[in-house]
Amino acid sequence: MRVWAIANQKGGVGKTTTTLALGRGLAMRGYRVLLVDLDPHASLTRAFGVPADPQPAGVLDLFDENPPELARVVRATEIENLGFVAAQTALATLERRSATQPGLGLALSNALTRGGQAHDFVLFDCAPTLGLLMVNALAAADHVIIPTQTEPLALHGLKGMCRTAEMIQRSRRRPLPVSVLPTLHDRRTRTGAETLKAMQDEHGDMVWNDAIPNDTRICSVEVLTHSSPAAQYPGRGLSAYRRALDWLLLTESRVMEQAA
Ligand code: ADP
Ligand code: MG
């Protein structure tokens, strides 16, 4: 099982879209994939047609004192090999609970240790807040993927997220590769090209040498959450995500080789 945390402390950078597109891509390659919605706004959950209110069974249950088996909260999707765990809006109350209930930082790690073997890949769609859920995701992760818009303001958020990942990396024994995925890229603007270059200059090999273009078709929920023939239409966005997936898998295998 490999665990990927799709994270950025900035909102609207394409985290949920990236989680769906990479998860769908891995499932279509035959891997058994589990997506976990860690955002109380529950965009991913809603994308699969599950309302976040009334509270569905989902991530919050894994933080109970006697948590259920992971399989109990996994839902199937229309896409073969792709399951997900729903977010509840009540996830927002978790921070308060962490003051009185110790050990919550490893709740997701523990859930995966108990029941993660059924999945080849687990992808966390993180909330844009540095809190207990993000700490849980990074503690369990084998790879952090930071989607970043190619606009100047996003560079700041990228730095913050890299610092957070470094901090977590220092407190654990195994390596935590970080990959930066430029998203929502508009090739036609000078700002887009300049920001992409600045990102690559500053963060080097961590940054993909390509970018996910602005493509309204990939954000369509129908495309990303259904397996209908119309959804097979590649389009610029999805073929870019396919190339990104090749790069991420290659990056990860290199890191694992070095660590071995
Ligand atoms: P986050 O999870 O980081 O908040 P989302 O994945 O929800 O970001 O994306 C924010 C918005 O941008 C959504 O409306 C989404 O549909 C849209 N979007 C994401 N990626 C792209 C893209 N490559 N091209 C066009 N629109 C996109
Ligand atoms: Mg999101």
Side-chain angles (χ1 to χ4, degrees):
M1 178 192 54
R2 307 292 300 159
V3 182
W4 291 2
I6 322 296
N8 192 327
Q9 283 149 246
K10 193 171 182 304
V13 296
K15 293 181 294 296
T16 300
T17 307
T18 298
T19 307
L20 282 167
L22 295 179
R24 180 179 179 278
L26 285 164
M28 287 174 83
R29 292 181 192 203
Y31 292 110
R32 298 162 306 164
V33 183
L34 181 67
L35 308 181
V36 184
D37 190 352
L38 293 185
D39 191 339
H41 287 112
S43 314
L44 184 116
T45 300
R46 277 187 264 260
F48 284 113
V50 175
D53 265 309
Q55 308 291 317
V59 173
L60 191 60
D61 303 72
L62 300 173
F63 287 83
D64 285 351
E65 270 178 71
N66 292 306
E69 283 299 315
L70 181 64
R72 295 284 300 275
V73 292
V74 171
R75 291 160 197 270
T77 73
E78 202 181 281
I79 297 169
E80 201 182 341
N81 295 326
L82 188 70
F84 81 103
V85 182
Q88 298 111 320
T89 50
L91 274 178
T93 62
L94 205 53
E95 301 297 332
R96 250 180 289 139
R97 236 169 71 192
S98 66
T100 53
Q101 195 181 332
L104 285 185
L106 291 177
L108 291 181
S109 261
N110 294 338
L112 292 181
T113 308
R114 289 193 314 270
Q117 302 81 348
H119 311 281
D120 300 310
F121 283 90
V122 177
L123 272 57
F124 290 130
D125 180 16
C126 294
T129 15
L130 181 54
L132 182 67
L133 285 161
M134 175 86 86
V135 167
N136 260 275
L138 296 183
D142 299 302
H143 195 162
V144 179
I145 295 159
I146 312 180
T148 311
Q149 268 170 289
T150 54
E151 50 143 277
L153 276 178
L155 289 175
H156 192 65
L158 174 59
K159 246 186 223 152
M161 193 56 229
C162 287
R163 262 199 307 270
T164 304
E166 264 163 40
M167 205 173 69
I168 298 276
Q169 158 98 66
R170 274 198 297 272
S171 68
R172 56 191 247 161
R173 264 177 251 118
R174 49 200 183 105
L176 182 58
V178 176
S179 297
V180 179
L181 206 61
T183 54
L184 285 147
H185 182 57
D186 190 345
R187 276 171 225 276
R188 291 163 311 178
T189 67
R190 218 166 88 202
T191 320
E194 283 172 2
T195 314
L196 186 57
K197 174 141 192 334
M199 226 179 253
Q200 286 160 342
D201 287 349
E202 182 156 356
H203 298 278
D205 285 350
M206 260 167 61
V207 185
W208 189 33
N209 63 4
D210 199 340
I212 307 292
N214 230 316
D215 176 2
T216 44
R217 219 171 358 210
I218 50 166
C219 359
S220 132
V221 165
E222 279 68 38
V223 170
L224 292 173
T225 56
H226 290 80
S227 58
S228 66
Q232 309 297 328
Y233 180 72
R236 284 185 315 132
L238 274 186
S239 43
Y241 268 113
R242 212 166 292 160
R243 295 196 303 280
L245 188 51
D246 288 336
W247 175 69
L248 290 166
L249 290 169
L250 187 68
T251 303
E252 193 169 275
S253 65
R254 284 205 189 117
V255 172
M256 278 161 78
E257 263 167 36
Q258 280 165 10

